Amino acid sequence: MNMQRISEVVLLVAGFALGLCACHTVKVNKHKPWIETSYHGVITENMDIVQLDPPLVALDKDAPVPYAGEICAFKIHGLEAPFEAVVLNGTSGEGQLRAKGLVDCELQKEYTFIIQAHDCGAGPGGTGGKKSHKAVVHIQVNDVNEFSPVFREAQYHTAVTEGKIYDSILQVEATDQDCSPQYSQICNYQITTTNTPFAIDRNGNIRNTEKLSFEKQQQYEVLVTAFDCGQKRSTESVAVHIDVKPVCKPGWQGWDKRVDYEPGTGSKQLFPKMNLETCGGLLSSVRTTVELQTSHIGKGCDRETYSEKSLQKLCGASSGSTDLLPAPSASTNWTASLVTDSERDSDLIFRFDGRQAAKIPDQVVPQNLTDQFTVATWMKHGPNPGLRAEKETLLCNSDKTEMNRHHYSLYVHNCRLVFLLRRDFIQVDTFRPAEFHWKLDQICDKEWHYYVINVEFPVVTLFVDGVTYDPYLVTDDWPIHPSQIDVQLTVGACWQGGEVTKPRFTQYFRGSLSGLTIRPGKIESQKVISCLQACKEGLDINSLESLGKGIKFHFNPAQSILVMEGEDLENMNAALRKVSYINSRQFPTPGIRHLHISTSVQCFGEDTCIFIPDIDAVVMVLQPSEPRITIAGVDRLTRPAADLRGPAGLTLFQDLHIISTVTKGDTASHHTAGRPGVQEEIIHNLDYCDILVLGEELRPEQESLQLQRSTLLGKHLDATNSTSGMSIYGVDSMSNYEQVIRQVYYHNWHPVQTPDRKFRLTCSELNGRYTSNEFTLEISVLHKSEAGEHVNHMVAPSQYMQVVPHLAMVHSLYPTHGPGAPSAATVVIVICIAALVVVVVLGIYRIHLTHQQEGRNSDTTKERELDWDDSALNITVNPMESFQEPQGAEEEASEEDEEDDDEEEDDDITSAESNDSEEEEEVPGALSVKQGSKRGQLDWDNSTLTY
């Protein structure tokens, strides 16, 4: 029992102990862990440790009971949070918050999540563990300055007006991808370009530090860089382009100061992009004047520079005018002493400085001035210095001796043009109109003008540049009583032959004259006057139909001034763009032509309106391709005297050819020095061709140059003839000149008494501006002695006769005249030899015909036997050939036979056959020796043989 009781006691104690133990185990983990209710953490991007405030620490009141008082974990609620919490010390409850990966501030700057602390429970298994309350954790991600500033634009562009100071021209802006204000904000901008008149502030506003000038510099480029607040600099600077615009000034824009004009291209626009800038001003009307200034070109503009006679014929003027100021030549030598203005391009201009004058020869002066005649001239004249200016005489017809009466004259006095006409006494001795006065600005404006005075007595009319002017004053005078005193016509001054001890010139002219003519018996029509003074260059308008209806325009007669007016500005701009320059000359005068444009405007309802400044430009007429006129043909003719004595005479230039070529380079080599161009034949007109006799002048009693008047019909050509040659003039084509010159023939009634003749032919275009080569033609006359010698040249073939060795033969067409005449015996011997040769030649010719008939059906080998074989032919020159046969009775007796033979000679002698004086002519009835053959043999020539 004791043992049982002991066992029961033991069991009871054990049970109690177990009960106590069980009771104690249940009550061990009585408290929850404790943490702060909120945490604030900071983590730097690209780092993993979060700095929490306060630190992460969990407390448990069960401590120091193992497990129950220990912290085993911190748990984060929210799977999106890239953080984890770790327990550093479970006993003390210290923990740490870490990033699971790299944290990027630029992706997310802040995080908020829930965290709880867990104790270790009642035992090692962690059973019965308790959780703390939920605490809020706020984490801020700290930024790192990893990005540089970047400008929003790749480049900036703006424009400013010159002469102003701007507070801000433009603003540049840069950005930074960093997340924090410190690193993402731009704290400073800087201009890196040195020496520029610009500055920039912290906000990126660029301003100019000084006034800009368009003339100094039209555009600036500055480089700008940016800094963030962390002083990180932008990787690349940005370029800022600033254009400087001129201050808006009303005026024409879009025009070129120089316009190049290529000859032969027709009309060319002068201002294709022109427009009027009004700076916002509203205009009610615009009036513009375009002036082409060509006073420095020739006689006031680019006119045709043909000779005066050619121009008159070209314009349809009546014939019979007398040119008192022609080009100096052998037949017009009275102008040789005058001063010509050589600077003018081919215009024949005479300049008078108060010391030159010319007397017109009596044979040139028109003697039949009637009640109708015309005086015309080009004149350029300026005012004379001094209050009492003297008379300046252009043209004067006065007494040559004894007296000093002025029959008619044209002079300038105090910028007045006066024409004096004193009529001869006829029946009634009464006052008649004698002096006609005109007062015009053109007389003293130092510009070229064309003056024409039409006299229909008693009415006198003046034309200036085609415009009619009546005299403002007409004074009467007595008629001149008849006398036997000769008169003198002068140009540039007046001849004072009487009332002075020594005759002299007086009343000298100071100015320039050209084309001074008198046409008696008929007045000039206004149509012809307009043609004679017409300009070949001027202003033009392309497509008149395209001009707006509101545009009014007006040209002056010379088309050198154009006035346009309109109300709509755009229409005026379009109209000015159509203004062109045109020059219709084939070879215009190169050089500049000045353009002057003036504009006036009216504004709406304003007393003062904007001012449009005038503009000046130039048209540069480029150098035309100069033609090269070439005359070619037979330059030597040898003819028997009978051809010159015949009724038809000798045609001189039967094979004449006139061509004209220019040298033009290709597109690549044009205007390139040293490169040869391409020769191109061109067609243009000539204005005269002169045939000049070289050496002694023609003897009118025995020789002359002649041309049938019918040859000139239908052509714009005329001809003059004298003992020094012939001149064919008029503006016409080269082909017409060829046809006429080919019909010029030379006639000589006594060729025996005349030496060989030489003629020189030259042609001209534009009154000598372009001249041809000097083509010389030589005429040789065959006389009787030479005809006999010519027969002796014929030698028979060696296969039909044997030539006597040392047979003397005449070998020259032009024998040299020795100092003495040969004897009669010598003449007889020569004649006998000639007769013998003729007989032998006739015999050989008969043999030749026989062989021809027999061998007509033979083969080609036998036909070749008819040719000459000169391999063994020896020709001995007669030493007597240098003597000339006497022109005695034998010559007179055989003159008729000689003429008959000469007329049968072949006239077709080429220049190659006539160049050598020792070459031989073909003689009828004889054998012809043809030298220079390719076969090197002598052939028969029976084309002119007769029985």
Side-chain angles (χ1 to χ4, degrees):
M1 284 250 340
N2 292 334
M3 285 302 293
Q4 184 176 4
R5 189 175 287 179
I6 293 171
S7 300
E8 290 177 357
V9 170
V10 170
L11 289 171
L12 181 60
V13 170
F16 179 77
L18 289 172
L20 288 175
C21 180
C23 181
H24 177 74
T25 302
V26 172
K27 294 182 180 181
V28 167
N29 193 6
K30 297 188 296 184
H31 302 92
K32 297 179 182 178
W34 179 87
I35 58 176
E36 298 287 346
T37 58
S38 65
Y39 292 90
H40 294 276
V42 175
I43 184 172
T44 302
E45 60 179 347
N46 301 326
M47 303 295 287
D48 59 350
I49 303 300
V50 179
Q51 303 295 330
L52 286 177
D53 182 25
L56 182 59
V57 177
L59 300 177
D60 197 326
K61 293 182 178 181
D62 292 325
V65 178
Y67 301 109
E70 296 178 354
I71 302 301
C72 283
F74 292 97
K75 292 186 179 180
I76 296 174
H77 298 278
L79 298 178
E80 72 280 359
F83 296 98
E84 62 179 359
V86 295
V87 178
L88 297 180
N89 190 332
T91 302
S92 62
E94 297 180 30
Q96 190 178 57
L97 195 61
R98 297 177 182 176
K100 293 181 182 180
L102 297 179
V103 180
D104 192 349
C105 177
E106 285 72 37
L107 296 179
Q108 190 169 343
K109 296 181 180 180
E110 294 181 351
Y111 294 91
T112 300
F113 52 87
I114 303 298
I115 190 171
Q116 281 182 311
H118 292 256
D119 61 13
C120 294
T127 59
K130 292 184 181 293
K131 304 176 184 177
S132 68
H133 61 272
K134 294 179 180 179
V136 179
V137 180
H138 297 279
I139 297 178
Q140 179 180 347
V141 181
N142 282 348
D143 188 21
V144 175
N145 196 2
E146 56 183 332
F147 293 99
S148 300
V150 176
F151 287 94
R152 291 188 180 275
E153 303 291 339
Q155 62 179 359
Y156 292 86
H157 194 284
T158 188
V160 296
T161 303
E162 64 175 348
K164 295 177 62 177
I165 296 294
Y166 290 83
D167 293 333
S168 177
I169 295 176
L170 63 82
Q171 183 181 20
V172 297
E173 184 179 3
T175 60
D176 197 311
Q177 295 182 8
D178 290 315
C179 65
S180 64
Q182 179 182 5
Y183 299 138
S184 64
Q185 291 183 0
I186 307 301
C187 285
N188 191 24
Y189 292 93
Q190 182 179 339
I191 295 176
T192 60
T193 305
T194 59
N195 299 324
T196 58
F198 300 99
I200 191 170
D201 62 13
R202 293 179 177 273
N203 296 322
N205 293 305
I206 298 177
R207 60 184 175 86
N208 57 318
T209 58
E210 63 183 46
K211 293 182 179 180
L212 305 179
S213 172
F214 177 79
E215 295 182 356
K216 181 179 179 181
Q217 190 167 345
Q218 289 81 39
Q219 187 183 65
Y220 293 89
E221 181 181 357
V222 295
L223 298 178
V224 178
T225 189
F227 295 88
D228 61 19
C229 293
Q231 293 302 307
K232 193 175 186 66
R233 180 175 176 171
S234 59
T235 305
E236 295 182 357
S237 299
V238 68
V240 179
H241 300 278
I242 302 174
D243 293 334
V244 180
K245 296 192 304 181
V247 176
C248 185
K249 298 177 182 178
W252 292 103
Q253 296 182 354
W255 54 277
D256 295 325
K257 291 185 178 180
R258 167 172 167 165
V259 179
D260 289 341
Y261 181 78
E262 185 76 28
T265 56
S267 180
K268 182 172 183 178
Q269 285 181 270
L270 295 174
F271 317 108
K273 299 179 181 178
M274 195 172 187
N275 66 284
L276 182 61
E277 175 63 57
T278 62
C279 296
L282 298 178
L283 308 181
S284 61
S285 66
V286 181
R287 178 185 176 92
T288 301
T289 302
V290 183
E291 182 179 359
L292 179 68
Q293 300 172 345
T294 57
S295 59
H296 62 291
I297 304 296
K299 295 194 290 286
C301 71
D302 221 357
R303 293 182 168 93
E304 294 293 9
T305 54
Y306 295 114
S307 64
E308 195 65 28
K309 287 187 177 180
S310 299
L311 277 176
Q312 291 173 356
K313 196 172 186 66
L314 190 65
C315 290
S318 304
S319 59
S321 67
T322 300
D323 189 1
L324 302 181
L325 287 176
S329 65
S331 58
T332 58
N333 56 2
W334 66 89
T335 60
S337 62
L338 301 180
V339 178
T340 58
D341 197 342
S342 58
E343 295 180 0
R344 306 305 180 194
D345 184 40
S346 302
D347 274 336
L348 187 58
I349 296 172
F350 294 90
R351 183 161 44 88
F352 297 85
D353 59 359
R355 291 175 292 181
Q356 293 88 19
K359 293 182 180 180
I360 310 301
D362 293 339
Q363 66 272 16
V364 178
V365 178
Q367 303 295 332
N368 56 342
L369 291 185
T370 61
D371 286 347
Q372 286 189 341
F373 63 94
T374 296
V375 180
T377 186
W378 286 94
M379 182 179 72
K380 180 181 180 181
H381 180 263
N384 271 342
L387 297 177
R388 297 177 58 85
E390 296 181 356
K391 294 181 179 179
E392 299 177 65
T393 302
L394 286 73
L395 179 68
C396 180
N397 188 25
S398 59
D399 291 335
K400 185 177 293 187
T401 59
E402 301 181 22
M403 302 181 70
N404 192 32
R405 298 177 302 176
H406 293 187
H407 296 256
Y408 62 87
S409 66
L410 179 65
Y411 62 91
V412 175
H413 189 208
N414 288 328
C415 293
R416 292 170 172 81
L417 187 67
V418 182
F419 180 65
L420 172 67
L421 180 61
R422 299 283 302 280
R423 304 308 304 267
D424 292 335
F425 180 87
I426 303 176
Q427 291 179 348
V428 182
D429 191 4
T430 59
F431 268 18
R432 295 187 179 186
E435 275 192 344
F436 304 85
H437 298 250
W438 293 271
K439 184 178 180 181
L440 303 172
D441 294 336
Q442 294 92 320
I443 297 172
C444 287
D445 64 359
K446 297 183 180 180
E447 302 290 346
W448 279 104
H449 299 285
Y450 187 53
Y451 299 85
V452 178
I453 296 177
N454 275 346
V455 178
E456 287 183 293
F457 193 81
V459 178
V460 177
T461 305
L462 172 67
F463 292 84
V464 181
D465 298 331
V467 180
T468 307
Y469 296 92
D470 293 325
Y472 80 94
L473 176 64
V474 178
T475 59
D476 298 337
D477 203 346
W478 296 102
I480 296 179
H481 290 276
S483 65
Q484 301 300 321
I485 302 174
D486 293 333
V487 293
Q488 176 65 61
L489 184 62
T490 57
V491 174
C494 201
W495 182 252
Q496 190 173 4
E499 301 179 359
V500 292
T501 56
K502 183 180 180 180
R504 59 183 175 85
F505 285 113
T506 185
Q507 300 177 5
Y508 283 98
F509 176 71
R510 292 174 177 86
S512 297
L513 297 176
S514 179
L516 178 57
T517 61
I518 295 180
R519 173 176 287 104
K522 190 173 183 181
I523 64 172
E524 203 62 270
S525 67
Q526 188 164 6
K527 179 180 179 181
V528 173
I529 294 173
S530 299
C531 175
L532 290 173
Q533 60 92 33
C535 287
K536 303 298 288 186
E537 63 179 338
L539 299 174
D540 191 19
I541 297 180
N542 288 338
S543 180
L544 291 174
E545 295 78 8
S546 62
L547 290 180
K549 294 182 179 179
I551 301 298
K552 301 176 182 179
F553 67 93
H554 171 71
F555 282 105
N556 68 330
Q559 285 198 215
S560 60
I561 299 177
L562 168 63
V563 180
M564 305 184 74
E565 187 172 0
E567 297 179 356
D568 185 77
L569 183 59
E570 290 303 319
N571 286 344
M572 279 295 295
N573 289 336
L576 260 294
R577 296 187 190 112
K578 299 179 186 299
V579 178
S580 303
Y581 169 81
I582 188 170
N583 195 319
S584 58
R585 288 189 70 187
Q586 189 174 15
F587 306 108
T589 305
I592 63 173
R593 275 76 165 158
H594 294 278
L595 286 169
H596 182 77
I597 302 177
S598 58
T599 306
S600 61
V601 298
Q602 291 183 354
C603 301
F604 286 103
E606 295 184 7
D607 296 336
T608 61
C609 199
I610 61 176
F611 171 73
I612 307 297
D614 296 350
I615 63 176
D616 292 289
V618 296
V619 177
M620 178 61 70
V621 179
L622 303 179
Q623 179 73 39
S625 298
E626 296 190 358
R628 182 179 180 183
I629 306 171
T630 304
I631 302 175
V634 177
D635 59 358
R636 185 170 184 178
L637 295 177
T638 303
R639 290 292 185 267
D643 286 1
L644 279 65
R645 288 195 299 264
L650 175 62
T651 303
L652 295 180
F653 305 99
Q654 191 170 4
D655 299 319
L656 179 76
H657 292 283
I658 305 175
I659 62 171
S660 180
T661 57
V662 295
T663 302
K664 291 186 177 179
D666 54 17
T667 305
S669 63
H670 196 58
H671 304 302
T672 303
R675 286 197 172 186
V678 179
Q679 289 282 345
E680 295 183 4
E681 186 172 348
I682 62 171
I683 303 300
H684 59 88
N685 292 330
L686 302 177
D687 58 351
Y688 70 81
C689 286
D690 287 341
I691 303 172
L692 182 63
V693 179
L694 299 182
E696 182 182 356
E697 292 189 357
L698 299 177
R699 303 173 184 177
E701 68 276 3
Q702 69 179 45
E703 56 182 339
S704 67
L705 287 175
Q706 298 181 11
L707 178 65
Q708 296 292 337
R709 300 300 299 182
S710 59
T711 309
L712 303 175
L713 295 178
K715 302 177 179 65
H716 297 287
L717 297 178
D718 207 343
T720 59
N721 200 354
S722 68
T723 58
S724 60
M726 177 179 291
S727 179
I728 302 169
Y729 61 90
V731 182
D732 213 330
S733 64
M734 289 182 287
S735 60
N736 281 349
Y737 266 92
E738 279 184 1
Q739 296 175 18
V740 172
I741 296 175
R742 288 173 183 173
Q743 302 300 318
V744 175
Y745 61 92
Y746 170 63
H747 197 279
N748 194 327
W749 296 276
H750 303 287
V752 177
Q753 303 175 8
T754 306
D756 294 344
R757 279 293 184 188
K758 289 185 178 180
F759 300 94
R760 177 175 295 167
L761 173 63
T762 57
C763 293
S764 159
E765 162 73 326
L766 296 176
N767 200 24
R769 179 178 175 184
Y770 305 116
T771 57
S772 69
N773 60 311
E774 295 182 346
F775 179 76
T776 303
L777 174 65
E778 184 177 352
I779 305 296
S780 297
V781 182
L782 283 176
H783 302 292
K784 175 187 174 184
S785 59
E786 295 169 331
E789 293 169 356
H790 195 66
V791 174
N792 289 338
H793 287 180
M794 303 302 102
V795 183
S798 59
Q799 65 182 9
Y800 298 118
M801 68 170 291
Q802 294 182 354
V803 180
V804 179
H806 311 295
L807 177 64
M809 303 180 67
V810 179
H811 190 66
S812 175
L813 288 176
Y814 309 104
T816 304
H817 298 276
S823 63
T826 303
V827 174
V828 173
I829 293 173
V830 172
I831 294 176
C832 291
I833 293 174
L836 178 60
V837 171
V838 172
V839 173
V840 172
V841 168
L842 290 176
I844 293 172
Y845 178 68
R846 288 181 176 274
I847 296 173
H848 168 64
L849 291 180
T850 304
H851 277 266
Q852 274 190 330
Q853 187 173 2
E854 293 175 355
R856 187 169 299 167
N857 298 325
S858 62
D859 55 11
T860 58
T861 304
K862 292 182 180 181
E863 288 178 356
R864 291 194 185 98
E865 293 178 356
L866 297 177
D867 297 336
W868 279 94
D869 182 7
D870 59 350
S871 60
L873 179 63
N874 294 324
I875 300 177
T876 304
V877 179
N878 185 2
M880 299 177 61
E881 67 179 355
S882 61
F883 295 94
Q884 182 182 10
E885 280 193 23
Q887 298 175 357
E890 294 86 359
E891 178 180 350
E892 296 177 358
S894 60
E895 185 174 353
E896 294 183 0
D897 296 334
E898 176 189 353
E899 290 179 3
D900 294 337
D901 294 338
D902 289 340
E903 289 176 359
E904 297 177 2
E905 286 189 7
D906 186 6
D907 289 339
D908 188 13
I909 301 178
T910 64
S911 60
E913 295 170 336
S914 61
N915 280 341
D916 192 351
S917 62
E918 293 183 359
E919 289 185 353
E920 299 153 343
E921 291 284 335
E922 297 179 8
V923 177
L927 297 177
S928 174
V929 181
K930 294 187 177 180
Q931 299 183 358
S933 173
K934 294 182 180 179
R935 297 177 301 169
Q937 297 178 349
L938 301 176
D939 299 334
W940 285 98
D941 185 3
N942 60 358
S943 59
T944 58
L945 293 179
T946 57
Y947 284 100

